């Protein structure tokens, strides 16, 4: 007969395990104090009593860090900061490009990409079997290689004048050749995506705080202009993004 006075073994059931694990996990993740002491604290989001805003959309989906920095530098020369407002870097244009290249658009998902391929007329633009993401990757590597060959420096370490000269070489498409695509085609893609990143809705990663729109007095995505459309005077309207319509 079993000894009724002996201690019963603790339950090792899955439910009990999850219950106990949840307590421990909660202490690490929710409590923060225990987790911070074991694994190191996160960087404080409050500095000198001022809470910092974190844009979690600014994360890389396609580029590595070197490609991102190269893109950021090249875009800034196409749309530089001046007395009128911020440049491509501050507007987050490189994040816009990164997100687009990681999307179905970057692999030409909706385009006919089966041969035969023939050289196109100048009015038809670049005709190629390469995807946009592939063209951009080759172009960035070309910028890096050309900068090293011409100036013995990384593109990001060049002076603004040297960066401009490098981009002009790529735009002209005569002095330097890329394997598999043209520098002209890459530069055209880089330029168009830079302008898109400046003026697209912030939901896509660029146009930070709608500053691109504000420089142009562009109203963005308004629900209606019915109250103002017949007014004679010029109306300067605070811009709205698609995010502003959430909950309406």
């Amino acid at each position: 007969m079993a000894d009724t006075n002996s201690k019963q073994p603790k339950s090792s059931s899955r439910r009990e395990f999850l219950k106990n694990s949840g307590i421990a996990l909660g202490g690490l993740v929710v409590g923060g104090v225990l987790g911070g002491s074991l694994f190191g604290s996160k960087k404080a989001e409050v500095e000198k009593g001022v809470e910092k805003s974190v844009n979690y959309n600014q994360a890389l989906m396609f580029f590595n860090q070197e490609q991102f920095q190269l893109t950021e530098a090249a875009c800034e020369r196409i749309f530089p900061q001046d007395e009128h407002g911020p440049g491509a870097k501050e507007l987050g244009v490189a994040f816009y490009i990164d997100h687009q290249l990681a999307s179905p658009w970057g692999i030409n998902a909706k385009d006919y990409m089966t041969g035969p391929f023939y050289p196109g007329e100048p009015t038809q633009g670049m005709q190629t079997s390469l995807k946009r993401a592939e063209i951009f990757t080759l172009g960035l590597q070309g910028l890096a290689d050309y900068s090293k060959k011409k100036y013995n420096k990384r593109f990001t370490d060049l002076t603004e004048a040297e960066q401009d000269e490098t981009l002009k070489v790529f735009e002209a498409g005569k002095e330097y050749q890329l394997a598999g695509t043209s520098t002209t085609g890459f530069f055209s893609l880089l330029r168009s995506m830079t302008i898109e990143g400046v003026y697209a809705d912030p939901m896509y990663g660029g146009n930070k705080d709608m500053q691109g729109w504000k420089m142009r007095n562009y109203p963005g995505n308004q629900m209606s202009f019915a109250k103002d459309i017949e007014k004679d005077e010029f109306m300067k309207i605070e811009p709205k993004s698609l995010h502003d319509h959430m909950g309406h």
Side-chain angles (χ1 to χ4, degrees):
M1 177 180 294
D3 184 3
T4 57
N5 294 324
S6 63
K7 294 182 178 180
Q8 296 295 324
K10 292 183 178 181
S11 172
S12 59
S13 68
R14 180 172 179 269
R15 177 178 296 180
E16 191 69 19
F17 171 77
L18 291 175
K19 178 181 176 181
N20 294 331
S21 298
I23 294 173
L25 185 61
L28 289 173
V29 178
V30 180
V33 177
L34 178 58
S37 63
L38 291 177
F39 299 103
S41 301
K42 283 184 63 179
K43 183 179 179 181
E45 299 301 340
V46 178
E47 295 182 2
K48 297 181 180 179
V50 178
E51 186 175 352
K52 295 172 62 180
S53 175
V54 179
N55 183 358
Y56 291 101
N57 197 32
Q58 291 190 334
L60 298 183
M61 301 179 184
F62 179 80
F63 292 140
N64 59 36
Q65 289 292 334
E66 182 179 0
Q67 291 171 327
F68 174 77
Q69 292 167 6
L70 211 166
T71 300
E72 198 172 51
C75 292
E76 183 68 16
R77 298 314 307 147
I78 294 175
F79 196 93
Q81 178 182 1
D82 60 17
E83 67 276 10
H84 300 294
K89 181 177 181 177
E90 185 177 341
L91 291 171
V93 168
F95 287 108
Y96 167 83
I97 295 176
D98 172 82
H99 296 359
Q100 291 300 302
L101 294 178
S103 74
W105 183 86
I107 59 172
N108 299 61
K110 294 186 177 181
D111 297 341
Y112 179 82
M113 297 298 293
T114 304
F117 297 95
Y118 299 102
E121 297 296 327
T123 54
Q124 294 178 302
M126 183 171 58
Q127 304 294 308
T128 178
S129 61
L130 294 178
K131 311 294 193 300
R132 296 183 183 97
E134 294 171 332
I135 294 171
F136 215 92
T137 300
L138 289 172
L140 290 178
Q141 187 60 53
L143 281 179
D145 293 343
Y146 180 84
S147 301
K148 188 68 175 179
K149 179 181 179 182
K150 178 77 173 181
Y151 301 103
N152 197 30
K153 292 188 292 185
R154 298 186 306 171
F155 182 85
T156 52
D157 294 331
L158 300 180
T159 65
E160 293 181 353
E162 290 170 339
Q163 289 177 342
D164 289 346
E165 286 301 316
T166 299
L167 291 174
K168 287 178 181 178
V169 167
F170 273 58
E171 182 181 20
K174 296 178 180 179
E175 180 180 334
Y176 187 75
Q177 302 298 320
L178 294 175
T181 187
S182 68
T183 61
T184 302
F186 163 68
F187 178 83
S188 177
L189 185 61
L190 171 67
R191 183 183 183 279
S192 64
M193 294 185 76
T194 298
I195 302 303
E196 289 172 15
V198 171
Y199 296 117
D201 192 284
M203 69 174 288
Y204 296 105
N207 191 12
K208 182 181 178 182
D209 298 328
M210 298 181 286
Q211 293 181 82
W213 289 348
K214 291 175 182 177
M215 285 189 286
R216 295 283 185 174
N217 290 322
Y218 178 67
N221 192 285
Q222 300 287 331
M223 293 291 284
S224 173
F225 296 95
K227 296 180 179 179
D228 304 315
I229 195 169
E230 294 187 2
K231 293 182 179 180
D232 293 330
E233 69 273 16
F234 175 77
M235 299 292 298
K236 185 173 181 179
I237 303 173
E238 190 69 18
K240 291 184 181 294
S241 72
L242 292 171
H243 170 78
D244 293 317
H245 305 316
M246 295 294 294
H248 290 278

